[in-house]
Amino acid sequence: MKYIIGNWKSNMTYNNFKSYVQQINTLKTDIAKITVGISVPHIFLLEAEKTINHPIYSQDCEAYKFGSNTGRISYEHLKDININHAIIGHSEQRRFNDNTNEIINTKLTTLLNNDFNVILCIGEPLDIYEENKTIEFLQNQIGSALKNVDIKKLNNLVIAYEPIWAIGTNKIPSNDYIQNALQEIKQYVEIITKFKNIPTLYGGSVNLSNIDNLKTIVNLDGFLIGSGSLKADDFIKMVYALEK
Ligand code: PGA
């Protein structure tokens, strides 16, 4: 299975959202071979779920149940509107919303225990990359995120490797570097859980002009794409490029 997930972050007007829906619904892909997901701002989740013919991913959510948490979206809200896909641990959530490794672990276990399909994002900041400590850093993020996770639920987990310094910067590690990181991620998950060949995505400055090169990376099971996914035309072309 390949994966290509568009992460809109806090972008898109309502009008553009409506035309995006029409365009994306023209996509013809083999769902047995490729998962095309759209991760929309919370305000569009309900309508996206009703109108888009592809999995809708929440851009994070809270692990607690309905309750007195002003301004927060509970995973129970998502379940209630039939959304069972979510991104957890995105570096922007880690940085701007205080998502510590512990919080991410709680979110991940709660979501997997509630039969969500989860994309766990991990990735190193620039100083760690420059000091050549990326693999240790990723192992630490994986180890804490997967602590006490029910191994039987790992079929619903995908890991996205997103170097923080590559997000929105047009700077991308070499293909060899990404290939090695993805291989290390798969190996480490297997060492700590016995689960083999966890799907691994790359994210960070992927766009229409570099996807053909990036998709040749061994160990790569797909992409998490931010700004490159905001124009439906481009995103559709990227889906077909990956599917080929
Ligand atoms: P980008 O973002 O494609 O805009 O670099 C990727 C991400 O943050 O998921």
Side-chain angles (χ1 to χ4, degrees):
M1 173 66 81
K2 289 178 182 167
Y3 298 82
I4 181 162
I5 315 298
N7 172 14
W8 294 357
K9 310 190 179 188
S10 295
N11 294 297
M12 199 71 72
T13 63
Y14 184 49
N15 272 336
N16 289 345
F17 165 75
K18 285 186 284 188
S19 52
Y20 199 110
V21 171
Q22 288 180 342
Q23 286 174 276
I24 201 74
N25 282 344
T26 63
L27 248 185
K28 300 222 174 345
T29 49
D30 182 348
I31 56 168
K33 293 200 179 131
I34 186 162
T35 297
V36 180
I38 315 285
S39 192
V40 302
H42 290 334
I43 195 151
F44 298 138
L45 280 171
L46 177 61
E47 190 164 333
E49 211 296 307
K50 286 186 175 161
T51 55
I52 294 180
N53 304 330
H54 298 278
I56 302 301
Y57 284 73
S58 182
Q59 301 175 7
D60 202 66
C61 68
E62 302 303 333
Y64 34 71
K65 294 174 179 284
F66 291 130
S68 302
N69 298 296
T70 305
R72 301 286 173 172
I73 306 267
S74 159
Y75 73 93
E76 291 195 319
H77 286 112
L78 302 178
K79 278 175 75 169
D80 188 46
I81 59 168
N82 299 320
I83 289 186
N84 56 3
H85 291 75
I87 296 174
I88 292 297
H90 192 281
S91 58
E92 287 149 17
Q93 281 291 332
R94 291 179 191 259
R95 251 190 310 174
F96 306 132
N97 274 340
D98 293 333
N99 272 223
T100 59
N101 281 336
E102 272 174 4
I103 290 175
I104 289 161
N105 173 242
T106 308
K107 289 183 178 184
L108 188 64
T109 43
T110 304
L111 290 181
L112 290 177
N113 289 342
N114 281 278
D115 297 325
F116 274 77
N117 296 279
V118 180
I119 297 176
L120 168 69
C121 297
I122 58 174
E124 80 286 359
L126 187 60
D127 57 332
I128 295 288
Y129 172 78
E130 285 174 346
E131 287 164 28
N132 229 345
K133 293 190 178 143
T134 296
I135 301 306
E136 262 170 83
F137 188 90
L138 298 180
Q139 289 177 343
N140 181 42
Q141 286 187 322
I142 295 168
S144 51
L146 296 191
K147 203 167 149 207
N148 301 325
V149 161
D150 180 354
I151 311 299
K152 294 194 287 296
K153 302 286 186 185
L154 291 181
N155 279 318
N156 290 342
L157 180 68
V158 170
I159 296 184
Y161 169 53
E162 300 203 304
I164 296 173
W165 54 273
I167 294 178
T169 57
N170 274 328
K171 292 186 187 137
I172 301 188
S174 69
N175 285 12
D176 284 350
Y177 195 88
I178 297 172
Q179 177 173 326
N180 180 56
L182 300 184
Q183 182 180 334
E184 293 279 354
I185 292 166
K186 285 181 194 287
Q187 276 173 3
Y188 193 65
V189 170
E190 186 173 345
I191 289 168
I192 62 174
T193 67
K194 307 268 185 296
F195 188 90
K196 286 192 199 322
N197 205 17
I198 192 97
T200 46
L201 317 186
Y202 170 75
S205 298
V206 180
N207 59 39
L208 196 50
S209 52
N210 58 29
I211 195 165
D212 280 328
N213 170 33
L214 291 168
K215 76 174 189 185
T216 62
I217 294 173
V218 178
N219 297 315
L220 180 112
D221 299 296
F223 297 104
L224 180 55
I225 305 176
S227 55
S229 70
L230 291 173
K231 288 198 182 118
D233 277 358
D234 287 357
F235 187 60
I236 288 169
K237 285 183 195 147
M238 286 195 267
V239 172
Y240 288 133
L242 179 63
E243 195 187 29
K244 256 195 275 168

